[in-house]
Amino acid sequence: MILIKLGGSVITDKARPLTPRKKAMDAVARVLRKADEPVIIVHGGGSFGHYWSVKYDMHTEPKKYNPRGVATVKNSMIKLDNMVLESLFKNGHSPYCLCPSAFMSGNRASPKGIREAGEIAKSGMTPVTYGDALWHGQKKTYILSGDRIMTHIAKVLRPRLCIFALGEDGLYSDMKSRKLVREAGSMRASISATDMDVTGGMARKVREATAISRGGTRVFFVNGNKPRRIADAIGGKFEGTLFR
Ligand code: IPE
């Protein structure tokens, strides 16, 4: 089983609010069609959900956020998810849309819901879920990132490989030289949050990737705009950053 996160910077143009990148969606969908094992897809919010969560000052911390903000983020994610689903369908997948509340209750993941997603994937359909604004309880909501969902799913289903398709070639040792880190396992201890904060969301991705790889699943950061590299990784050839 392959678990793949389609980063917001691949499926949307992060520089332009509410702008999908449909060609990029199609290219990834085509490549994933070639995998001869079950696939589960998680996608990010990019210039849809992310854009609105910044506007409404909403974060991963549970709080009493503006209800208009919660609704706006959720509506925008439905729109983006629909485009991802259409792209997958058009390219031969049978996507099975799972909104995150299908396997999340508050900020806890339900192993039963996740196991069901695994069964759906094994039946020949492609479960698709996404980062979103979620109900937390006690009048609070929070932003659940697609990266966090990757960890929740990987813990229960232990896929053969987790792929993070990013807008970059992988993890860079520093932003100046943009020297690619090919294997992150040995340097885990030296990846500090401060190094990673330069790239914003990268710190969070590294955190989740490290947690997943500690559970025994290989995690691969790859440039999602070069879909050939996704196909290669499925076949065992890694051009990007591997966590193991
Ligand atoms: C987006 O999920 C969640 C929302 C803001 C609704 P991610 O945080 O995983 O999205 P990207 O991939 O970084 O855009």
Side-chain angles (χ1 to χ4, degrees):
M1 179 181 291
I2 304 279
L3 174 62
I4 183 164
K5 155 98 193 279
L6 310 182
S9 49
V10 176
I11 59 170
T12 74
D13 181 348
K14 274 205 161 175
R16 294 175 201 204
L18 311 173
T19 309
R21 295 184 67 227
K22 291 192 177 177
K23 282 190 181 138
M25 290 179 195
D26 285 346
V28 176
R30 275 196 298 273
V31 143
L32 290 177
R33 189 72 192 111
K34 291 187 189 134
D36 51 10
E37 62 195 300
V39 175
I40 297 183
I41 297 175
V42 178
H43 68 80
S47 73
F48 286 74
H50 250 302
Y51 169 78
W52 288 117
S53 60
V54 169
K55 283 245 174 228
Y56 280 94
D57 197 23
M58 295 165 62
H59 308 273
T60 53
E61 183 198 341
K63 270 192 186 169
K64 290 177 186 169
Y65 293 113
N66 182 340
R68 300 295 294 173
V70 177
T72 306
V73 169
K74 289 186 85 67
N75 288 357
S76 74
M77 287 311 297
I78 291 280
K79 277 192 194 126
L80 178 59
D81 186 51
N82 191 248
M83 294 178 212
V84 173
L85 297 168
E86 295 282 4
S87 165
L88 288 164
F89 187 81
K90 196 174 74 185
N91 287 288
H93 295 264
S94 300
Y96 188 102
C97 170
L98 281 174
C99 64
S101 50
F103 54 87
M104 295 295 300
S105 172
N107 57 359
R108 282 171 179 263
S110 135
K112 186 173 166 278
I114 292 173
R115 275 196 292 271
E116 203 165 280
E119 284 164 27
I120 292 168
K122 284 180 193 155
S123 82
M125 292 185 276
T126 309
V128 179
T129 189
Y130 50 87
D132 200 4
L134 286 194
W135 177 245
H136 176 269
Q138 293 164 333
K139 297 186 181 164
K140 294 177 183 174
T141 53
Y142 71 107
I143 298 288
L144 173 67
S145 75
D147 299 330
R148 187 90 194 108
I149 296 178
M150 291 291 280
T151 306
H152 286 316
I153 297 178
K155 254 192 199 161
V156 176
L157 296 181
R158 296 185 170 269
R160 179 176 75 80
L161 178 65
C162 277
I163 300 173
F164 285 76
L166 317 170
E168 307 275 345
D169 281 345
L171 177 66
Y172 301 124
S173 56
D174 65 274
M175 282 312 281
K176 237 192 207 153
S177 68
R178 292 173 82 83
K179 192 172 172 294
L180 190 66
V181 176
R182 296 205 173 266
E183 254 203 65
S186 54
M187 57 173 293
R188 245 174 232 164
S190 67
I191 299 173
S192 73
T194 38
D195 289 340
M196 294 306 118
D197 276 344
V198 207
T199 52
M202 197 54 116
R204 193 185 56 221
K205 289 182 207 312
V206 169
R207 221 169 25 240
E208 304 300 345
T210 305
I212 296 170
S213 67
R214 281 194 179 140
T217 298
R218 282 184 308 176
V219 182
F220 183 53
F221 285 7
V222 65
N223 194 330
N225 294 314
K226 297 181 178 159
R228 176 81 238 150
R229 295 188 185 173
I230 298 175
D232 284 348
I234 294 172
K237 199 178 126 203
F238 298 101
E239 192 176 346
T241 305
L242 190 60
F243 293 72
R244 60 170 152 199

